[in-house]
Amino acid sequence: MSLIEIFTDYVLNKKNLKDYVKIRKTIHERGEFNDASLLRAEENLQRLKSEEPEIYTLMYETLDKIYKRNSGLSIEYPLDFIRQILKMYKSSLTPKQVYEEYKRILSHYHHDI
């Protein structure tokens, strides 16, 4: 499996990104995110899951829906998802606002989300 395939599996199947960070050290490919970003994304996901489970569920439902439609470059979907997760708790945007932005961006590129 390539690094992006492993990453996609981890994101789509809600696997712990801390484990992915360990696995990717054994693969000699360059990833999109550094270790610190991935660990922060995992922390954000866990925080979101405990503090705002509805938004957590909606984020994954949106990712799942667009991934299943496969209307574009599917390797970008998990990358975009993590980019949005990294925005949470970093700025003045609330998780709900990040979700709405994520949904809006995807619906712009992939109609009928």
Side-chain angles (χ1 to χ4, degrees):
M1 275 183 133
S2 70
L3 187 62
I4 191 64
E5 290 170 324
I6 295 168
F7 177 76
T8 298
D9 175 59
Y10 268 77
V11 174
L12 291 178
N13 294 304
K14 303 177 188 176
K15 294 180 181 179
N16 193 311
L17 294 175
K18 291 178 183 178
D19 295 333
Y20 168 74
V21 168
K22 292 175 190 171
I23 289 171
R24 81 180 199 155
K25 291 179 190 266
T26 66
I27 300 172
H28 301 296
E29 291 180 41
R30 187 168 181 260
E32 179 74 18
F33 303 102
N34 63 32
D35 292 352
S37 293
L38 290 168
L39 295 174
R40 190 171 75 248
E42 181 60 33
E43 289 171 7
N44 287 359
L45 283 166
Q46 293 307 315
R47 182 175 173 187
L48 185 65
K49 185 178 180 180
S50 68
E51 293 179 6
E52 301 199 44
E54 181 181 336
I55 300 298
Y56 176 86
T57 300
L58 289 170
M59 288 291 291
Y60 274 107
E61 285 176 355
T62 302
L63 172 62
D64 186 55
K65 183 185 259 185
I66 191 64
Y67 195 82
K68 285 181 178 172
R69 286 192 48 213
N70 196 19
S71 58
L73 191 56
S74 61
I75 63 170
E76 287 296 319
Y77 305 145
L79 296 171
D80 288 339
F81 178 83
I82 295 299
R83 286 183 191 112
Q84 296 303 315
I85 293 299
L86 287 168
K87 288 181 183 179
M88 292 184 180
Y89 310 112
K90 184 178 180 181
S91 67
S92 61
L93 294 176
T94 66
K96 184 174 182 175
Q97 290 170 320
V98 173
Y99 164 69
E100 293 297 333
E101 177 184 331
Y102 178 56
K103 190 170 82 171
R104 183 184 55 76
I105 291 168
L106 288 179
S107 65
H108 176 72
Y109 293 113
H110 315 285
H111 305 290
D112 302 327
I113 298 292

